[in-house]
C-alpha cells in the first residue's frame, strides 16, 4: 500500500544562491547547488498545485510536505516501486537510509536532475523530472541497489532491480557502475549488464542495450566513457570501450572499440569522424544531444 500524506514540515525559504548561466542554461553553483535545486522543486510544486488543484494533494504529499530532496525522492520511489508484499514503508526507509549513508548519492541525483532539465527540451521543470521521468527514477533506484550490492546485500538489491524492471521497463543490473549527470531519455527498454560501466554526463535513449555476447562469464559488458551519446535502439555488445565524447548512432550494432570523439553508425557499425579530422565539433555529445555531426568518413 502506498505511503499516505505526512504532516507538514517547516518550509525552507528560498536560498540566496544564484546559479550562473552559460549559453542560456543553468550551470553549477558549488556546495549550495543541492539546496538551490530543492528550493526550485518546491517552488515549482507549489506553483503547479495552485494552477492544478486536482494535483494539490499529490504534490503536497510527494514534494511540498518534505524537508529535503532525499526524503521526497525516497517517498516517491517507495510509492512507485511498492507491491502487495514489498511495502512502501519498508522501501521508504531503505531508500532514505541508503541515501543518508552516502552523500555522493544526493550529488549524483542533483546532477541527473540538471542533466534532464538542460538536455531535454520536453522537461519543463525539475519537479516534472522528479515526479514523471521514469529514466531519472530508474537511475536513482539503481544507485541504491548498487550501494546495497556493494554492501553484499544482494537479495534486496536484486529485488529492487526486479521492481525497477517491472515498473519502469528499465533493466540495470545492480552491479553495473553508473556515473552522474546521466540522462535516460524516454528510457523504455534500456538494458545495462552486470559488468558494464557508464561514465559521467552520458545520454542514452530508449531501447539501448549494453550487453554481453553470449554465455561467457567475467568482465563481459561495454565500458562507456564520459560525455558519450547513444542513440535510440543502439546495441553495444561485449567488453568493448566507447571512448570519451563518442557517439553511437540510432539502431547501430557495435561490437568494436570506438575511439574518443568518433561516431559509430550502422549494422555492423562503421566508424566516422574523429579528432584527426579538421573542424571537429568540440561540444560534448552527451550534453548537446547533437546526433548530426562527425560525418567525415574514416
Amino acid at each position: 500500500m502506498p505511503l499516505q500524506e505526512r504532516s507538514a514540515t517547516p518550509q525552507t525559504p528560498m536560498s540566496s544562491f544564484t546559479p550562473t548561466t552559460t549559453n542560456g542554461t543553468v550551470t553549477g553553483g558549488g556546495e549550495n547547488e543541492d539546496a538551490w535545486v530543492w528550493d526550485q522543486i518546491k517552488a515549482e510544486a507549489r506553483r503547479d498545485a495552485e494552477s492544478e488543484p486536482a494535483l494539490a494533494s499529490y504534490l503536497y504529499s510527494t514534494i511540498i510536505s518534505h524537508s529535503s530532496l532525499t526524503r521526497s525522492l525516497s517517498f516517491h520511489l517507495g510509492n512507485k516501486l511498492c507491491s502487495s508484499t514489498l511495502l512502501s514503508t519498508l522501501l521508504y526507509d531503505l531508500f532514505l537510509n541508503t541515501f543518508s549513508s552516502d552523500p555522493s548519492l544526493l550529488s549524483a541525483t542533483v546532477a541527473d536532475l540538471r542533466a534532464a532539465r538542460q538536455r531535454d527540451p520536453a522537461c519543463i521543470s525539475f519537479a516534472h523530472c522528479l515526479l514523471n521521468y521514469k529514466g531519472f527514477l530508474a537511475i536513482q533506484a539503481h544507485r541504491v541497489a548498487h550501494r546495497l550490492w556493494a554492501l553484499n546485500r544482494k537479495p534486496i538489491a536484486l529485488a529492487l532491480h526486479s521492481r525497477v524492471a517491472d515498473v519502469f521497463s528499465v533493466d540495470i543490473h545492480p552491479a553495473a557502475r553508473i556515473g552522474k549527470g546521466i540522462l535516460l531519455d524516454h528510457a523504455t527498454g534500456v538494458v545495462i549488464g552486470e559488468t558494464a560501466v557508464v561514465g559521467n554526463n552520458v545520454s542514452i535513449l530508449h531501447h539501448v542495450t549494453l550487453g554481453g555476447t553470449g554465455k561467457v562469464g567475467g568482465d563481459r559488458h561495454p565500458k562507456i566513457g564520459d560525455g558519450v551519446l547513444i542513440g535510440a535502439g543502439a546495441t553495444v555488445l561485449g567488453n568493448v570501450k566507447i571512448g570519451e565524447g563518442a557517439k553511437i548512432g540510432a539502431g547501430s550494432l557495435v561490437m568494436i572499440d570506438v575511439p574518443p570523439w568518433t561516431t559509430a553508425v550502422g549494422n555492423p557499425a562503421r566508424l566516422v569522424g574523429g579528432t584527426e579530422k579538421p573542424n571537429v565539433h568540440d561540444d560534448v555529445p552527451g550534453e548537446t544531444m547533437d546526433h548530426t555531426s562527425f560525418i567525415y568518413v574514416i
Side-chain angles (χ1 to χ4, degrees):
M1 178 179 296
L3 290 167
Q4 300 299 312
E5 295 178 13
R6 301 190 174 196
S7 59
T9 56
Q11 296 180 356
T12 304
M14 286 291 289
S15 169
S16 59
F17 163 64
T18 302
T20 58
T21 59
T22 302
N23 298 326
T25 61
V26 181
T27 61
E31 62 183 11
N32 292 325
E33 182 180 12
D34 295 356
W36 182 84
V37 169
W38 174 235
D39 285 337
Q40 291 299 300
I41 291 171
K42 294 192 80 168
E44 292 163 356
R46 294 188 191 101
R47 177 201 65 200
D48 292 344
E50 291 177 1
S51 64
E52 290 290 350
L55 294 176
S57 178
Y58 169 62
L59 291 168
Y60 178 84
S61 63
T62 308
I63 294 177
I64 299 171
S65 68
H66 295 281
S67 60
S68 68
L69 175 56
T70 297
R71 289 182 176 275
S72 173
L73 179 59
S74 298
F75 177 90
H76 192 39
L77 286 173
N79 279 311
K80 282 284 190 180
L81 297 175
C82 68
S83 69
S84 59
T85 54
L86 194 60
L87 300 183
S88 59
T89 49
L90 182 151
L91 290 177
Y92 172 79
D93 288 338
L94 181 67
F95 285 122
L96 183 59
N97 290 336
T98 305
F99 277 117
S100 299
S101 70
D102 186 352
S104 70
L105 296 179
L106 177 59
S107 175
T109 295
V110 171
D112 295 346
L113 282 166
R114 298 185 73 89
R117 188 73 179 95
Q118 293 174 2
R119 299 176 206 167
D120 186 358
C123 185
I124 62 173
S125 68
F126 289 116
H128 172 49
C129 178
L130 173 63
L131 294 174
N132 303 321
Y133 268 43
K134 67 179 184 178
F136 167 78
L137 294 171
I139 285 288
Q140 309 322 307
H142 166 75
R143 297 193 192 285
V144 171
H146 180 73
R147 174 67 174 161
L148 295 169
W149 183 272
L151 294 173
N152 205 32
R153 298 180 64 185
K154 294 182 178 180
I156 189 66
L158 290 168
L160 282 180
H161 162 243
S162 177
R163 289 301 297 155
V164 169
D166 289 346
V167 174
F168 299 131
S169 298
V170 175
D171 188 338
I172 308 175
H173 192 281
R177 291 182 284 160
I178 310 293
K180 64 181 182 178
I182 305 299
L183 173 63
L184 297 187
D185 198 1
H186 303 291
T188 299
V190 168
V191 177
I192 300 178
E194 178 182 9
T195 61
V197 177
V198 177
N200 298 322
N201 301 315
V202 171
S203 292
I204 298 174
L205 278 79
H206 48 289
H207 292 292
V208 163
T209 296
L210 305 180
T213 57
K215 297 171 65 177
V216 176
D219 193 357
R220 61 197 184 278
H221 294 102
K223 310 298 181 282
I224 310 299
D226 293 346
V228 169
L229 172 62
I230 306 181
T235 299
V236 187
L237 298 180
N239 187 15
V240 297
K241 296 180 180 179
I242 310 301
E244 177 185 3
K247 300 183 188 183
I248 309 299
S252 298
L253 172 61
V254 180
M255 300 179 69
I256 57 174
D257 290 347
V258 177
W261 305 100
T262 302
T263 297
V265 294
N267 182 359
R270 69 187 191 281
L271 303 180
V272 298
T275 55
E276 72 279 15
K277 296 294 181 179
N279 302 318
V280 168
H281 229 281
D282 290 329
D283 293 332
V284 178
E287 297 178 7
T288 64
M289 305 294 287
D290 179 6
H291 295 259
T292 62
S293 62
F294 301 157
I295 59 173
Y296 309 101
V297 176
I298 292 178

